[in-house]
Amino acid sequence: MSKPHAWLDQIIDSAHARALAQVALRPTGGVADGSRGSSSAIMAGTLALHVQRPVLLVVAHLDEADDAVDDLAMFAEAGYDLNPMRFGALEVLPGESGVNLELLAERLGVVERISTDRPLTGAVIVAPIQALMQGVPKPEAVSQLSLIHI
């Protein structure tokens, strides 16, 4: 019986993926562009596995962030230890005065997670551009605001 995600193994083990990881590990870092749709998430996940550091996947919209996190779930299905985290933008709908508390909690959870001393090996942070333009509280303020510490 063939492995359901054997094609993913081939991508992860490819010479191109290893070369991209070498570029990412340079002191100046690197930017990968040119991929579209699910291939962006697959390459971000592959890169995170190779470099064992957090990888930031920037997408245009919140819907694309949701899709990317769904695409990254296949790494776990294939047996890889990958931790996708969505860093959502705080959106307020017309006529509303407050932000979605679920999005706020998710956003603060990511801030707390990346500000700890625990290593984030195999982590992919998926963020729409809008989320990166919004401020976040200082790490010590996040822990003071949290009821449960992760």
Side-chain angles (χ1 to χ4, degrees):
M1 186 168 129
S2 66
K3 190 174 172 185
H5 295 297
W7 60 270
L8 184 59
D9 296 337
Q10 291 176 343
I11 292 171
I12 293 168
D13 295 335
S14 74
H16 294 293
R18 288 192 298 277
L20 181 60
Q22 290 304 311
V23 170
L25 289 171
R26 291 180 187 163
T28 56
V31 174
D33 64 2
S35 62
R36 303 289 180 262
S38 294
S39 65
S40 299
I42 292 167
M43 286 313 300
T46 298
L47 185 58
L49 292 174
H50 277 283
V51 299
Q52 290 297 295
R53 291 181 176 173
V55 170
L56 175 63
L57 175 58
V58 181
V59 297
H61 304 285
L62 191 57
D63 291 345
E64 290 177 56
D66 292 338
D67 292 344
V69 170
D70 289 345
D71 291 338
L72 290 165
M74 83 175 97
F75 282 85
E77 294 168 10
Y80 291 99
D81 187 20
L82 189 74
N83 179 22
M85 296 181 281
R86 185 178 73 153
F87 186 66
L90 298 176
E91 298 177 336
V92 179
L93 297 173
E96 291 185 5
S97 59
V99 299
N100 180 312
L101 292 180
E102 186 176 322
L103 276 175
L104 178 61
E106 178 183 69
R107 187 174 166 86
L108 292 177
V110 172
V111 171
E112 182 176 43
R113 179 78 171 97
I114 63 176
S115 64
T116 65
D117 292 335
R118 293 178 291 162
L120 284 174
T121 57
V124 178
I125 301 164
V126 182
I129 292 169
Q130 181 184 359
L132 297 175
M133 295 187 325
Q134 296 173 342
V136 295
K138 293 181 180 181
E140 56 274 7
V142 172
S143 63
Q144 291 172 355
L145 297 170
S146 299
L147 296 176
I148 300 173
H149 299 281
I150 329 178

